[in-house]
Amino acid sequence: MNFSERPAVRTQFLVFTLFGEYVLPRGGSIWTSNLLSLMEVLGVSERAARSTLSRMSRKGWITARKEGRRSRYSLTPRGWMLLKQGEKRIFEPTPQEWDGLWYLVVYSLPEKKRRLRHSLRQGLSWLGFGPLSPGTWVSPHNRFIEVKNMCKDLGVQQHVEIFSGAHVGLSTDQEIVRTCWDLAELEAQYKEFIRLYQGQYEGYLQQGDNEKAVSLEQCFVLRFWLTHQFQSFPRTDPNLHPALLPPDWIGFKARELFENYRALLESHANQYVDDVLGAGNTNKESVQSIPLENRQTALDIPAKEVSV
């Protein structure tokens, strides 16, 4: 992918990504003009950006504070929580141990509640559950707290039950995985990700710190779209233990590429953002800096929260 190409994505996703990756670690607020500048580099017109910011403000995700003739944008507590919801799924490591237990979510919602049923399914998929049969979703991860909170938020507690236990037959655990998740399609998506970025990564390694070959702006854009491309995988990849996956699972290679390339671009991308924001434009009292492994991005937000 050429660094100047912009994949099709809702503009509000870009705003959430910018806040999670670059604004929160710098204090949590940003001048409107600086935010518009960063979005312009990502291919978003000022008109489209302002329209998105206005819509996100109405939904209670961000808020603007006037300071003289200028305004600063920051996340609301609700916006902050939306970003935190996806933190574990985007950056959680591959599990090194599995106790052999499966966790089942069984639900039955009447047809008049089909929109809630759709939201529940989306949330379960995001949490790494897969459909074993209609109304029964399973996962090898203990997500009890997350599922409980989601059901409370949706108001469907009376329609849902959660169980855990060992699988004793008649199929194998690997067959359960193939029933619940389309590993072939996921493998194809990972192969495409590697095709897009492996050559870029190796080329950047050869160039080293030669900023004339790759500018700071290019590093920022490359890292942004790399993150955008990868952060959709948790919606379809349940992050299974290696024992449940085919040998030499390509998802491990894709994640390693993602983490290494992000780290390689990080310093120059951050320098570019610092240059755009300028000295004295951060408010470090408002939000503590967030470690790299805990930073969250736009698409970690459940789909029901970002529909427009």
Side-chain angles (χ1 to χ4, degrees), residues 95-168:
Q96 298 303 308
E97 297 181 358
W98 181 47
D99 58 10
L101 295 180
W102 288 92
Y103 297 84
L104 282 74
V105 174
V106 181
Y107 62 85
S108 178
L109 277 79
E111 182 61 22
K112 64 182 180 180
K113 295 182 181 292
R114 59 182 179 273
R115 293 186 64 181
L116 284 176
R117 186 171 59 212
H118 177 69
S119 296
L120 177 62
R121 288 168 176 167
Q122 284 188 314
L124 289 173
S125 179
W126 173 252
L127 291 173
F129 283 80
L132 183 63
S133 64
T136 301
W137 288 53
V138 302
S139 171
H141 302 291
N142 184 355
R143 311 281 198 195
F144 172 73
I145 298 299
E146 292 92 333
V147 173
K148 179 181 176 181
N149 290 338
M150 178 179 63
C151 291
K152 182 178 179 181
D153 291 341
L154 292 174
V156 297
Q157 303 98 311
Q158 68 272 31
H159 301 287
V160 179
E161 294 293 347
I162 306 173
F163 304 88
S164 68
H167 173 235
V168 296

Side-chain angles (χ1 to χ4, degrees), residues 10-176:
R10 288 177 177 170
T11 305
Q12 61 192 10
F13 290 169
L14 310 189
V15 175
F16 273 115
T17 297
L18 286 171
F19 268 94
E21 290 278 280
Y22 299 106
V23 179
L24 292 181
R26 289 166 173 79
S29 64
I30 182 172
W31 294 114
T32 303
S33 58
N34 290 340
L35 184 54
L36 294 176
S37 294
L38 292 175
M39 295 181 73
E40 181 181 13
V41 171
L42 296 171
V44 182
S45 69
E46 179 177 342
R47 179 179 180 181
R50 288 188 181 276
S51 175
T52 297
L53 293 173
S54 176
R55 183 168 62 250
M56 294 177 71
S57 294
R58 291 195 302 270
K59 291 190 174 186
W61 294 336
I62 60 175
T63 184
R65 184 179 73 252
K66 294 286 281 187
E67 296 185 16
R69 300 181 63 182
R70 306 175 69 190
S71 297
R72 277 185 182 274
Y73 274 101
S74 58
L75 291 175
T76 62
R78 179 170 180 259
W80 166 257
M81 288 304 299
L82 285 175
L83 285 177
K84 291 293 288 182
Q85 285 175 5
E87 180 179 305
K88 290 183 180 179
R89 291 293 287 123
I90 295 297
F91 295 104
E92 70 177 354
T94 301
Q96 298 303 308
E97 297 181 358
W98 181 47
D99 58 10
L101 295 180
W102 288 92
Y103 297 84
L104 282 74
V105 174
V106 181
Y107 62 85
S108 178
L109 277 79
E111 182 61 22
K112 64 182 180 180
K113 295 182 181 292
R114 59 182 179 273
R115 293 186 64 181
L116 284 176
R117 186 171 59 212
H118 177 69
S119 296
L120 177 62
R121 288 168 176 167
Q122 284 188 314
L124 289 173
S125 179
W126 173 252
L127 291 173
F129 283 80
L132 183 63
S133 64
T136 301
W137 288 53
V138 302
S139 171
H141 302 291
N142 184 355
R143 311 281 198 195
F144 172 73
I145 298 299
E146 292 92 333
V147 173
K148 179 181 176 181
N149 290 338
M150 178 179 63
C151 291
K152 182 178 179 181
D153 291 341
L154 292 174
V156 297
Q157 303 98 311
Q158 68 272 31
H159 301 287
V160 179
E161 294 293 347
I162 306 173
F163 304 88
S164 68
H167 173 235
V168 296
L170 300 169
S171 60
T172 66
D173 289 325
Q174 290 73 19
E175 287 173 325
I176 288 180

Side-chain angles (χ1 to χ4, degrees), residues 197-209 214 216 219-220 222-223 226 256-270 292:
Y197 291 105
Q198 186 69 47
Q200 278 188 19
Y201 172 64
E202 293 174 356
Y204 193 96
L205 277 176
Q206 295 176 359
Q207 292 164 357
D209 290 332
V214 183
L216 299 182
C219 290
F220 166 73
L222 285 170
R223 190 173 188 268
L226 170 76
E256 182 180 19
L257 171 60
F258 167 68
E259 293 174 347
N260 290 342
Y261 198 10
R262 262 176 59 92
L264 190 64
L265 295 166
E266 182 179 21
S267 63
H268 284 174
N270 280 328
L292 173 63

Side-chain angles (χ1 to χ4, degrees), residues 244-262:
L244 295 172
L245 292 166
D248 302 320
W249 174 238
I250 195 171
F252 300 145
K253 180 180 179 181
R255 175 168 287 276
E256 182 180 19
L257 171 60
F258 167 68
E259 293 174 347
N260 290 342
Y261 198 10
R262 262 176 59 92

Side-chain angles (χ1 to χ4, degrees), residues 19-29 80 84 87 266 270 274 282-296:
F19 268 94
E21 290 278 280
Y22 299 106
V23 179
L24 292 181
R26 289 166 173 79
S29 64
W80 166 257
K84 291 293 288 182
E87 180 179 305
E266 182 179 21
N270 280 328
D274 288 337
T282 58
N283 177 16
K284 296 187 181 297
E285 297 298 323
S286 58
V287 180
Q288 293 180 347
S289 295
I290 303 172
L292 173 63
E293 63 271 17
N294 291 333
R295 294 178 191 169
Q296 60 277 51

